[in-house]
Amino acid sequence: MTRAMIKKAFLGLALVGWVCIWALPKQAEAEPLYFALEVRREGRLVAQPKLLGETGRTVRAERRQPGAKVPDYRLVLTPTSEGSMFHLELDLILPEIKGHSSDVALMHGQERRVQLGRWPGDLEVSLLLMKVDSPEFRALMDLSKEAEEPGTARPI
């Protein structure tokens, strides 16, 4: 091979590499999310976690009484986004029961109920998802701040 041929081959490979990198889909930037859940076991409220997370990262939450060997609950959420839809993988473990849902689809501000147990009503999760950087989320946080401040009245 001559030097000119080697140079052309190298430039060709560099061009192919650049095209491959340019053509790859860009990784979506992580979207900060707020999750409000209500966990019911046989109709009885057993947990009400409110969590912050972001797309592409697993969120884990656990509540355990001091000194307890077993947690009251263990929750794992894995959110991803596709266009305007958010998809969640949800795992929930209570002392006597566990549940899993591989694809819960929600839009921003949507609330949904998911049955996780073997029987209807056995284990149910109500889930609200909001984008953190949204007017709805800011409004929700302002309302809760007013409710926490003693001596303030909320407008009717």
Side-chain angles (χ1 to χ4, degrees):
M1 279 185 124
T2 66
R3 283 190 123 156
M5 289 175 69
I6 293 172
K7 195 174 189 179
K8 285 181 184 178
F10 178 74
L11 287 174
L13 286 173
L15 181 61
V16 168
W18 181 82
V19 168
C20 288
I21 290 171
W22 179 78
L24 287 174
K26 304 290 184 246
Q27 177 129 6
E29 196 170 307
E31 176 110 42
L33 299 173
Y34 168 77
F35 306 97
L37 295 95
E38 282 190 356
V39 178
R40 294 187 181 276
R41 169 96 196 268
E42 298 173 351
R44 187 175 59 88
L45 184 66
V46 294
Q48 225 173 355
K50 292 173 178 32
L51 308 164
L52 291 174
E54 61 186 22
T55 54
R57 292 194 173 209
T58 300
V59 178
R60 291 176 174 80
E62 181 177 290
R63 183 177 71 191
R64 182 185 304 253
Q65 298 299 321
K69 293 181 181 180
V70 179
D72 296 337
Y73 69 84
R74 183 176 293 143
L75 174 68
V76 180
L77 290 170
T78 306
T80 57
S81 65
E82 185 178 307
S84 64
M85 292 296 292
F86 294 94
H87 299 273
L88 295 174
E89 187 171 329
L90 173 68
D91 287 294
L92 178 64
I93 301 172
L94 299 176
E96 304 87 28
I97 190 170
K98 59 182 167 181
H100 172 80
S101 183
S102 59
D103 190 19
V104 178
L106 294 152
M107 294 181 73
H108 160 70
Q110 185 178 6
E111 187 172 356
R112 196 157 161 217
R113 290 179 193 258
V114 181
Q115 297 290 326
L116 297 180
R118 288 187 231 171
W119 311 106
D122 197 18
L123 185 58
E124 181 181 84
V125 175
S126 294
L127 172 66
L128 169 70
L129 178 143
M130 282 189 181
K131 295 178 185 178
V132 169
D133 189 24
S134 69
E136 297 84 2
F137 176 75
R138 286 191 288 277
L140 178 68
M141 293 300 109
D142 285 344
L143 286 176
S144 64
K145 184 186 281 187
E146 287 177 14
E148 290 175 6
E149 294 176 10
T152 59
R154 289 187 16 189
I156 299 177

